Every structure is written in structure tokens, then in C-alpha cells.
Amino acid sequence: MDSLRYEILGPLRLGHLHGQPLRASKPRQLLATLLLHPNRFVSTDLIADALWEGSPPRSATANIRTYVRALRGVLQEAGLPAPIDTSAAGYSIEVGVDELDSSLFEALLAEGGHLRDAGEGRQAMQVLSRAYSLWRGHPLEDLTPASAWEGSIARLDAQYRGLVDGLLDLRLEHGDAAGAAVLLSSRLTEDPYDEQLWRRLVDALHAAGRTAEARAAYAKAVRTLADELDVEPGPELQAAGARAENGRSANWPAPGIPRTTDRPAEEDPQDVVLGLMAAPELTEPKRPPSQLPLDLSDFSGRQERLEQLRDLVCGRDRVRPPIAVISGAPGTGKTSLAVRLGHLVRDTFPDGQIYLDMRGATQPRDSGGALTDLLLSLNIPDFAVPADPERRSAMLRSELASRRVLIVLDDVASARQVAPLMPGTGASAVVVTSRNRLMDLAGADSTPLDTFDDGEAAELLERVAGAGRVDSKSAAAEEILAACGNLPLAIRIVASRLAQRPDLSPAELARRLRDETQRLDELSIGELAVRTSADLSYGSLNAEEARLYRLIGHFAVGEFSARVLESVASPSSVRRSLDRLIEVNLVQISSVDATGKARYRVHDLLRLHAIGVGDEEQKAQALKDLSTVLDALLHKVRRATAALPFGYFGVLDHQGPLLDSDPQPFSDVDAIAWFDSERSSFVPAIRAAAQNGLHEHAWRIAAAWGPYLDMRAGFDDWNESHQPGLLSAVACGDRRGEAIMHRNLAQLALYRDDWEPAWNHLNEAASIFAEVGDRLGTGITAVGLGTWLRERGRPDEALTQYELAVDAFVEVGDANAEAVARSAAASIWLGRDDTVTAGRYLAEAFLLGVRLGDSHREAKVRRRIAALRLQQGRQDQAVRQLQASLAIFNGIGDDHCAAYARAELGNALRATGEEAAARRMLMDAIEIGRRLGDRSVEGQAALHLGELHARSGNTDFARRYLSRAVRAWQQIGNDDKAAEARRSLAELTPTTQAVS
């Protein structure tokens, strides 16, 4: 941490400097604002808000320029190189990660999190302790708070609180009770009324052997709660105080506290004289009910939910009794969680715990009968229970008003079933479990359950299977958990089978679960079965809802939207059925897109269940419905693709005009917006088509959305759609489709600089296109081969391929493709320094693009023209060409091409001496390249930025970016480019060891 130059996690401080070299308030506010957004341009408006809190003077812009000049001077005099850049967008300060305490804090936080997730708890504790030591108070606490800072400071505060909580758990886990006490004391200064923090502090001090301090802490907690909130400590805090008082360890069980009778203390039972007709005194008073089922000894997971529910049901609101609804899909462990919660809070409800199975999924119990059971459980004599259900409900409310009772109502069918069972006031609580969400249950707090996360799933598998029976980190265990989809019921079933069958190995069980047609049969043991549990929910659906559920089983292998299902029913019918499926937790809302439209998903085991339900006629209908949905989706993709604002360089899945009419034609903006909103539906749709034998749909949908993927640089979606698409094209024997898939996968591999797969796919595509006589496909593949050869240092062979492509495109009359080939050929002539021939090729390509009205093609050719102008020494013209190109790419949302244009524009601006603008462009290009996973553009931009810093004398930043360029080129195997970056690095620091 000796390299820290700027510190904002506390009072603003310039590292290693004595005194206060920066005294004026406005420059300090300005510096703080820039440091809250390091290495990013901060707008003048935001700076003005930070300096004048929403009321800037008319001269604000000029004043800010003055403050920037003053700030630069102060920092330079203090020996702190502070490259504060200026642009039309605002100001930016360039600071390394190890030079700013907040940046270093976030880096250490991320590193500690990775170590903790990897099971390296002690190392994580050390790293997170370093992060904790950076905090010296509240961020920028010595400056006037600015509303413009609120978002950044709130994010830092949230990270700090998360750090303290995580570090606290690690210190307790590794026996550092004293260190944990320090953290707890720090947290209590911020939240002195949190009983759980006080309880943990008392226990931590006691565990550290500081018993007197533990007792003092408990006494202070009691005073604080009494003086400020007028409340007594809760049972857990009282128990911690008792442990500190009598010296017991925090993990010992608390002694039972016998209930006292109502007899006055001075009264001797021997003196009680019974009347002639008096009833005899009971020797054993009626005990409060204690009906909770046995808690699972191997219960695991749900700790966060458990804490939330405990806080809810143990609340001290004496007017509104807490009602917790635990809802979830079949098998998510609703009942197990409710029972564990009931046992956990048992001491909080001394008047009893009542459990009722409401049988909502089979034969729902009548609420009147349930009321009788509840009253009898409260020791009301049966002759005193009213006959009228409404009077029973009123009696129950009266009884609960003066008691503290926990009621668990398991497997509830509807809010109507349990509404008469709810308390009206008092300190009792109700916990409800249901497959339905019960959104209409008045006064209830909802706790929806999803499947386990990976860690919880692995823990449950190991605990139920038994010690040493299965290693949760093994490949077999991971396959088992994937087949179970992290569903608690499924995991419990397979783990129980492993526990009871010593002859069944995890590898064999994993092999059995691979077969989707038999998977649900494997997931049953005794009375536990995933299929049976799902059948109960399916049985509650009407015919319309059941039909949609069966269709979703075939279609929903990932996220989907309601709109893609509307080809089989009206929009209102689809939404009505989806609402019901959501209510019974057979379908879940996965996300909501930018337009407010929901995206849905189905657990994989429920999807398999949906495929298997229904008679043979209903199953056949589900496949017909799937074909209808895929047909509609394919035609809509084709129409949207045709409306995209550029000519696609590739081979589409169909030839000729679209056959079906479009009642609502797409505009180019609409088409892009539709693709953006439905993007997550296409890969699952392709998988669904392939899995159900509809291979023609699978490869055609994959090919049809290729232009959008190319525009948006959707590399992951590209790969995940085209790999199954290729297999489907082979499966249905469509050779042209197979060639299209090979060519598109080759293009993806070229973008990713994955040279061997690119070469293999290109040669396969070329062979098949020649076989089927597709000259357009042959030419497009030839351009790909030329690009591969050019990038691998074989320009003469590349030019041959480009010329073959030009001939093919002229033959078929495809002007757009011809422009691509001519522009590509020009790059070879530029490499030969033949600017005249290169210029002729580029002029022809540019005219073709203009005549077509294809601005996207025009923008790509402009990039090549800019390279020509740079080579001719006409830097200003190169800048103008690239600015025009970048504007077009930005206008249509083509981030990938825009990243290359930014890298090239940054280089051109560097050549014209506009260093600040060049830096901004190159940093943006690096960031976009990193986000897209394109190492070529990242390496190219990093090289230019490193050379720019070297020329300006900033050797630290030059070394950083040149090293990054070396790594980027190494990762994609481009030895020539990596060697170029190394040479620049060596010229910068001749004595530095070569970067490996």
C-alpha cells in the first residue's frame, strides 16, 4: 500500500505528503469528484453539481477550468503526476489501481471473494483484512457532502458493509474471536440498535476470554435498547448475556426455563381447603401444544431466508401479527424450511406451536374443520367450540390475542382456505407453505423459494449421502446435481439412494440420470418422487392451462417470452394461462426486459414432467403446437432480418422473397429492438427444435438471425445457436444448410482469432458450396479464406482468394459482397505499399456501397480508406473518414465494428497530435474489446495507447499498456503483433526483462 497517492476512504488525503498542500475548498471538491470516477470522463454538469449543489453560477464552466489549472499546479508541485485530461465531455484523472485507495479496496475485495469461493478461507481473510485497513472513516468525510457523490459513496458504503460481514464470518470461522469483536464494535457504532450485532459481540468477547468486557457489552446493550427504544433485549441477546454471566461457551445449549404457576408465592398448597363440591386440583397443568414435526437432522441451505423469516415472525409489533407465506415450485423444500424455522423460534412462542397439514395439493381441508383443530390444540374443551364457523374464527382471534403462539399451516391451497384461521392482533405468528403464491392473503409477507445455489446443493448432497459417500467437487457429483437442477427434493432423493445403496457408485448414478426419458423415474425413493410432487400441481390446471404447460415442456429449454407462444392461442389466453402456471409455481418469471415485458423459465425437471404428462393425443398435439410456434418464430426472424439497415455479408437460410405476408412490417429500428428484446429466446428455441427432431427449424433459425449476431457481436449466442444448428443440418441431410453453418462458425472463429477451427470450418464450407453449386456461398467462403491467409502472414495466397471471390460475386450480381471482396483485396495492396492499386480497389468498393444505399458497407470501406490516407501521410483525411465511419456504426448499434473504428481513430488522432482525444478513443476501444472478448482490437488499441504514453514521457502508463498489448496478442497466437509490442516495450525500457 506504499504506492497509494490518493486516499478518499476517510478524509481526502494525498499520500506520503505532510501537511495539506491542497487547501482551497473548490479544487478539493473537484479532485474528490474526479477520484470517485477514476479513469472516466466526468461531465462538466456533474462537476458543477458537486461544487455548487444544483445552483452553479453563470461562470461555472470558466470557474471549473480555473480550478482544473490550479489543481494541476498543486499536484505537480506536490510531486504527484496527475494526468487530468480535458475533452468536450468533461474531465478525467488517470489513476492506477494501486494509486487510489478506493480502487485498491475494490480490487482486494474481488480477490478476497474469489479466494473465499475457492475454499481458501484463511488467505481470503488476510486479503480482506488488507481491504478493511484502507478505511479511515466515512469516504470524504472532511468535505461538504454533494448529492452528485451519493451513488458512488453509497456503492462504497455497501461494499464496506459486505466486507465487514464477510470478514466477520471468516474471523469467527478461523478462531479469531478478538478480531471479530473489533469488527462488531465498528458495526455497532453505525447501527447501535441491532440486537443480533450486540448478541454476536457479547459471544465474541466471551469466546476471546474477555468475560468482563462481554458482561459490560451486554449491560451497554440493555441500556441502549431501553433508553432509546424502550424495549427489553430479546431471548437470543438475553441468552448471550447469561452465557457471559455464568461462563458457559456460546455453543452450549441454553437451559430450559420451567414455567411458573399462577399461585401466589406466599400461599402454601397445604393450606388450600377444597369445598365440598370443588373440582380436584390437577396435578399436571395442561401443557401448551408442541406439534411441530421432527426437524431434519441433515437440513442445509436457506440460511439467508431462515434469518429473514426469523426476523419476521419474531417481530415485536403487538398490533399486526406476522404472517409469512413460503411459496415455491414442487420440491423446493417449503415444508422443511417452515419446520426448521418453527424449531428455531420455539422459545419465542411459549404458549405453543401448532402444525396443521392443509392438504392443498390433494383434498384441501375445510377451514371450519381446521378452526376446530386449532381451538382444541389451544386446550379449549370440545363442548365449548362453537358450531358456527364464523364464531369459531372469532373465538380463535380472541384466544390468540392474549397468547404468543406459532401456527404452521402446511400445503395451503388458497388464501380463501386459511383467511378464517388468521389472528387479528397480538403477538402470535403464522407460517404458511403453499405451491401457490397466495398474493391475495391479506397482511402476508411473501417468501418465494427457488432452487438451491451450487454451494447449497453440494452441501445437501454430501450431508444426506453420508460422510465420505460422495465428493461434491467430483465430476460425477457435478453431473448428478446438474441433472437434479439443484432442486432440493431431487437432491435428497438421489443422496438417499447413495446412502442406502453402497453398491451404487456416484458415477453409475450420474450415468443413469443422463437419459432424460428415464430421469424422473430415477428420481424416486420410497414415498419421495419428483414426478408425484409435480403431478399434484398439474392436476389443478384446466384444459387450456394444461395444454400450454405441455407445449412449454417441449419449447422451454431456456428463457422464453409470452409473445413467442401466441401463434397457438390468443395473446389474452396465453397470458391468462401463464398467470395460472406462475401462481402454482410450475413456471417462474426469470427477468423483465427494458420494455417491461417478462421473460419466463421452467425448471428442467418440471420441463421433463410436462413432456411426459397427458394421453397420446395430447402429447401429439404438444408437438404440433411446437412446430407451429417454431414456424411463426422463423418467419418473424426472416422478416426482421430483411429490415436490418445493412446488407449482410453471408448466406441466408432461404433464397428469394419472403413467402408469407407481414401484417405489421418491421422498420429498421423496430427490427433491431425486436431482436434485442427476444434475444434470449432464440438459442432455447433452436435447442428445443433439435431435441424434438425438428432439425429443419433448428438450423434455419440459427442461420436466419446470423446478421443480427454479426451486428451485435453476440459471440456466445452465435456459438450456442450454430453448434446445434450444424448438427441439425447434418441430421436432416441439408448440405447447403450444413455449408452455411460451417461458414458462420468459421466467421465466429475468425472474430475470436481461433485459427485452427476457422480453417477447418472454411474448408468444409468451401467444399460443400462447390458441391451444391452455390457460387455466392463459394465467394463468401473465399473471402474468409483470404482473411485467414492474410492474418497468418500469407498475403499472396490471400489475394488469390479475394480475386476468386470478386469473380464469383460479379457472376451472381451481388454488389454488396463484391464491395467486401474489393475492400479486402485493397488491404493486400496496402501491405505491398501500392497505394495506387489499393486506392482503385477502394474507390470501386465505396461506389458500390453508395449505389446500394448501404451505410454499413460504406462505413467499413471508409475504415480501409482511412488506412490508405494514413499510409499516404494524409492524417487529417484519415481522421475525417474514421469519424464518419464511427458515427454510422454507433447509429445502428454495431459495437464490434465501432470498437475497431475507435482503435483506428485513436491512432489517427495520435498522428495529428490530438493526444487527449486519442487517449479517450483508445481506452474506449480497449474496454469494448475486453467486454466482447475480441483480443485483436484490445491488443491493437493497447499498443497505440502505450506508444502514445511513451511519446508523452509517461513511462509507467506506457509500460502498462504495452504489456497489455503483448498479452492480448499472445493469447490469440499472433506472434508478429506480439513481437511488435515487445519491441516498443524494449525501446521504452531496454533493461526490463522481456514480457513472457
Side-chain angles (χ1 to χ4, degrees):
M1 302 181 191
D2 292 337
S3 59
L4 284 177
R5 291 173 170 172
Y6 306 93
E7 299 177 44
I8 64 174
L9 300 180
L12 176 64
R13 191 165 72 183
L14 305 183
H16 308 300
L17 296 179
H18 300 290
Q20 181 54 268
L22 187 61
R23 295 184 176 85
S25 62
K26 294 300 184 188
R28 286 170 62 77
Q29 293 280 115
L30 170 61
L31 177 60
T33 305
L34 296 178
L35 291 174
L36 283 170
H37 307 83
N39 303 310
R40 290 188 298 175
F41 279 90
V42 182
S43 70
T44 305
D45 290 342
L46 190 146
I47 293 173
D49 285 342
L51 268 59
W52 290 284
E53 199 57 30
S55 301
R58 292 184 179 181
S59 59
T61 302
N63 289 351
I64 291 173
R65 283 198 294 268
T66 300
Y67 298 147
V68 169
R69 285 196 297 271
L71 180 57
R72 284 178 175 142
V74 169
L75 295 178
Q76 288 173 0
E77 289 175 7
L80 291 173
I84 300 178
D85 287 343
T86 306
S87 75
Y91 300 88
S92 168
I93 186 167
E94 206 162 50
V95 181
V97 170
D98 55 352
E99 296 172 335
L100 174 63
D101 59 357
S102 61
S103 297
L104 181 58
F105 166 75
E106 292 182 327
L108 291 171
L109 195 63
E111 181 183 354
H114 290 314
L115 288 169
R116 182 185 57 224
D117 294 343
E120 303 290 340
R122 191 167 295 279
Q123 291 88 332
M125 183 171 65
Q126 294 171 352
V127 172
L128 294 177
S129 295
R130 289 182 60 206
Y132 176 77
S133 68
L134 290 169
W135 282 71
R136 300 171 289 109
H138 190 264
L140 302 171
E141 63 185 22
D142 61 328
L143 300 183
T144 302
S147 58
W149 298 348
E150 288 178 358
S152 299
I153 291 181
R155 176 176 56 82
L156 288 169
D157 283 340
Q159 290 175 326
Y160 174 74
R161 288 192 297 271
L163 164 72
V164 172
D165 289 341
L167 187 54
L168 174 62
D169 290 337
L170 286 170
R171 286 184 174 176
L172 289 173
E173 179 183 342
H174 292 279
D176 184 8
V182 171
L183 293 173
L184 285 162
S185 298
S186 173
R187 280 294 308 276
L188 280 164
T189 61
E190 303 168 7
D191 194 355
Y193 311 121
D194 189 323
E195 284 196 45
Q196 290 302 316
L197 289 178
W198 281 112
R199 190 264 303 168
R200 297 179 79 181
L201 176 61
V202 172
D203 281 339
L205 289 169
H206 182 46
R210 295 154 62 179
T211 306
E213 292 179 57
R215 293 169 181 164
Y218 176 73
K220 184 176 180 181
V222 172
R223 286 196 306 273
T224 301
L225 296 172
D227 293 344
E228 301 295 333
L229 303 180
D230 194 25
V231 298
E232 296 178 356
E236 292 185 353
L237 180 53
Q238 290 182 26
R243 286 191 288 270
E245 186 64 31
N246 60 32
R248 284 188 301 105
S249 173
N251 61 358
W252 287 5
I257 302 175
R259 290 174 56 84
T260 60
T261 68
D262 295 330
R263 185 190 308 278
E266 67 277 5
E267 184 177 59
D268 189 340
Q270 301 280 339
D271 298 333
V272 177
V273 179
L274 299 177
L276 181 64
M277 301 299 294
E281 183 178 12
L282 296 177
T283 56
E284 291 186 9
K286 291 183 178 180
R287 297 178 180 275
S290 183
Q291 300 174 357
L292 294 173
L294 180 67
D295 190 14
L296 294 175
S297 60
D298 49 19
F299 179 92
S300 65
R302 307 293 192 202
Q303 290 305 311
E304 183 177 351
R305 291 294 194 193
L306 205 53
E307 292 292 332
Q308 293 170 352
L309 287 165
R310 182 172 64 177
D311 291 343
L312 172 62
V313 300
C314 294
R316 292 185 175 270
D317 186 343
R318 298 184 181 278
V319 177
R320 177 182 175 270
I323 303 169
V325 175
I326 304 173
S327 63
T332 48
K334 302 178 290 295
T335 299
S336 298
L337 178 61
V339 171
R340 168 53 63 98
L341 171 67
H343 284 283
L344 185 66
V345 301
R346 189 166 177 263
D347 291 342
T348 309
F349 297 93
D351 296 318
Q353 309 87 42
I354 303 174
Y355 173 87
L356 284 184
D357 183 357
M358 301 301 292
R359 301 194 297 268
T362 52
Q363 296 178 328
R365 294 183 64 171
D366 174 67
S367 58
L371 281 167
T372 299
D373 288 346
L374 286 173
L375 290 170
L376 293 176
S377 297
L378 292 172
N379 294 321
I380 304 298
D382 56 357
F383 61 81
V385 175
D388 179 43
E390 290 187 6
R391 292 184 61 198
R392 278 180 242 165
S393 181
M395 176 179 275
L396 176 66
R397 291 194 294 273
S398 297
E399 290 294 328
L400 293 177
S402 58
R403 306 194 195 201
R404 196 168 180 84
V405 177
L406 176 69
I407 301 174
V408 178
L409 303 175
D410 193 21
D411 192 16
V412 169
S414 65
R416 181 179 179 182
Q417 184 190 22
V418 295
L421 281 58
M422 297 297 107
T425 189
S428 293
V430 181
V431 177
V432 175
T433 74
S434 178
R435 295 169 182 242
N436 301 324
R437 291 178 177 266
L438 305 187
M439 292 179 287
D440 53 342
L441 182 59
D445 290 273
S446 178
T447 301
L449 292 190
D450 202 344
T451 54
F452 275 167
D453 62 31
D454 291 343
E456 291 174 326
E459 180 184 358
L460 180 62
L461 180 66
E462 283 191 337
R463 293 188 68 171
V464 178
R469 188 68 179 86
V470 60
D471 179 3
S472 63
K473 297 180 180 179
S474 66
E478 290 177 358
E479 188 174 355
I480 290 170
L481 293 174
C484 293
N486 284 3
L487 186 70
L489 174 60
I491 298 169
R492 184 168 290 280
I493 289 170
V494 296
S496 297
R497 295 185 68 187
L498 289 173
Q500 297 177 21
R501 290 278 307 276
D503 61 318
L504 180 63
S505 69
E508 171 60 17
L509 179 57
R511 185 193 65 76
R512 294 182 184 181
L513 292 172
R514 286 176 201 150
D515 185 355
E516 287 193 349
T517 62
Q518 302 297 321
R519 186 175 297 168
L520 290 180
D521 293 328
E522 292 289 338
L523 294 176
S524 64
I525 184 170
E527 295 184 358
L528 296 178
V530 173
R531 189 194 302 279
T532 303
S533 182
D535 280 343
L536 296 174
S537 294
Y538 175 71
S540 68
L541 305 177
N542 66 29
E544 187 179 68
E545 296 158 357
R547 178 182 176 182
L548 190 69
Y549 177 62
R550 292 190 295 270
L551 165 61
I552 288 173
H554 288 285
F555 180 75
V557 292
E559 279 193 350
F560 64 96
S561 71
R563 287 168 290 190
V564 299
L565 303 176
E566 291 171 0
S567 56
V568 296
S570 68
S572 60
S573 175
V574 168
R575 279 163 177 74
R576 201 165 45 242
S577 295
L578 275 174
D579 286 344
R580 175 60 179 158
L581 293 172
I582 291 168
E583 183 183 354
V584 298
N585 281 294
L586 291 175
V587 170
Q588 292 177 306
I589 295 177
S590 178
S591 61
V592 178
D593 65 21
T595 66
K597 300 292 184 182
R599 319 251 352 138
Y600 306 91
R601 66 182 176 88
V602 179
H603 190 277
D604 205 40
L605 294 178
L606 292 178
R607 182 182 65 80
L608 297 180
H609 175 262
I611 292 173
V613 295
D615 56 31
E616 293 306 314
E617 182 179 350
Q618 290 171 329
K619 291 178 180 177
Q621 182 63 52
L623 287 174
K624 290 180 183 178
D625 288 343
L626 175 63
S627 181
T628 301
V629 168
L630 293 173
D631 267 333
L633 182 62
L634 175 59
H635 291 311
K636 196 159 188 177
V637 172
R638 287 172 173 172
R639 294 196 302 272
T641 294
L644 290 175
F646 57 86
Y648 174 53
F649 184 70
V651 184
L652 292 172
D653 74 298
H654 67 289
Q655 295 172 309
L658 297 173
L659 299 179
D660 63 327
S661 60
D662 188 359
Q664 295 179 319
F666 280 108
S667 68
D668 55 354
V669 175
D670 292 339
I672 295 173
W674 180 77
F675 271 121
D676 286 342
S677 65
E678 292 297 331
R679 179 169 178 168
S680 62
S681 294
F682 296 117
V683 171
I686 292 164
R687 290 177 183 160
Q691 288 179 8
N692 288 278
L694 301 174
H695 295 294
E696 191 82 11
H697 289 90
W699 82 258
R700 289 189 183 278
I701 294 173
W705 81 318
Y708 168 80
L709 291 170
D710 204 346
M711 181 193 77
R712 281 288 194 241
F715 295 162
D716 291 338
D717 286 339
W718 192 328
N719 185 62
E720 290 178 16
S721 62
H722 278 65
Q723 292 292 354
L726 175 58
L727 295 176
S728 284
V730 173
C732 66
D734 193 314
R735 294 290 281 168
R736 182 170 178 273
E738 187 179 344
I740 293 173
M741 294 292 99
H742 275 300
R743 180 268 159 192
N744 288 2
L745 285 167
Q747 186 63 44
L748 173 63
L750 287 174
Y751 284 151
R752 287 177 160 177
D753 304 294
D754 203 350
W755 303 111
E756 184 176 353
W759 182 253
N760 294 336
H761 283 302
L762 284 167
N763 281 288
E764 286 289 339
S767 174
I768 300 173
F769 277 132
E771 173 192 321
V772 300
D774 188 326
R775 289 290 289 155
L776 175 63
T778 297
I780 289 172
T781 307
V783 171
L785 287 166
T787 300
W788 193 97
L789 291 164
R790 182 190 69 202
E791 292 298 313
R792 305 307 288 167
R794 295 156 66 177
D796 295 340
E797 296 171 76
L799 184 59
T800 300
Q801 291 292 335
Y802 291 146
E803 297 291 359
L804 289 172
V806 170
D807 292 343
F809 298 145
V810 170
E811 180 182 332
V812 299
D814 192 319
N816 176 60
E818 182 185 347
V820 175
R822 290 189 180 279
S823 178
S827 66
I828 304 299
W829 293 109
L830 279 176
R832 294 176 176 178
D833 205 23
D834 187 341
T835 56
V836 175
T837 305
R840 186 174 70 250
Y841 271 88
L842 289 173
E844 293 168 344
F846 186 76
L847 286 174
L848 286 169
V850 171
R851 289 169 184 163
L852 288 168
D854 187 340
S855 60
H856 189 264
R857 180 57 49 209
E858 175 191 333
K860 286 194 168 186
V861 177
R862 283 184 183 275
R863 282 180 51 208
R864 299 280 191 196
I865 294 174
L868 171 65
R869 296 294 179 248
L870 280 177
Q871 202 156 328
Q872 292 172 331
R874 299 154 70 180
Q875 290 89 348
D876 290 340
Q877 292 186 22
V879 168
R880 286 198 295 274
Q881 292 287 349
L882 287 167
Q883 287 172 335
S885 175
L886 181 58
I888 293 172
F889 290 139
N890 287 338
I892 63 176
D894 187 343
D895 291 344
H896 194 219
C897 289
Y900 279 95
R902 287 178 183 277
E904 293 159 3
L905 179 55
N907 188 42
L909 289 168
R910 179 170 67 105
T912 62
E914 299 180 60
E915 294 190 356
R919 261 198 307 272
R920 185 172 66 253
M921 280 292 165
L922 293 171
M923 289 177 70
D924 286 347
I926 290 172
E927 174 58 25
I928 296 171
R930 183 199 61 77
R931 174 168 54 84
L932 297 178
D934 190 322
R935 299 299 183 211
S936 289
V937 69
E938 184 182 348
Q940 180 181 336
L943 175 65
H944 294 326
L945 187 55
E947 291 174 343
L948 187 154
H949 281 300
R951 190 169 72 178
S952 63
N954 195 334
T955 56
D956 288 343
F957 282 100
R959 186 180 303 109
R960 179 183 304 171
Y961 285 110
L962 290 173
S963 298
R964 184 168 184 169
V966 172
R967 289 193 297 272
W969 293 123
Q970 281 179 329
Q971 287 172 349
I972 60 176
N974 194 323
D975 296 335
D976 291 341
K977 294 284 189 180
E980 180 184 353
R982 281 199 189 92
R983 284 194 295 272
S984 296
L985 191 59
E987 292 171 3
L988 177 70
T989 54
T991 60
T992 301
Q993 293 181 350
V995 177
S996 58

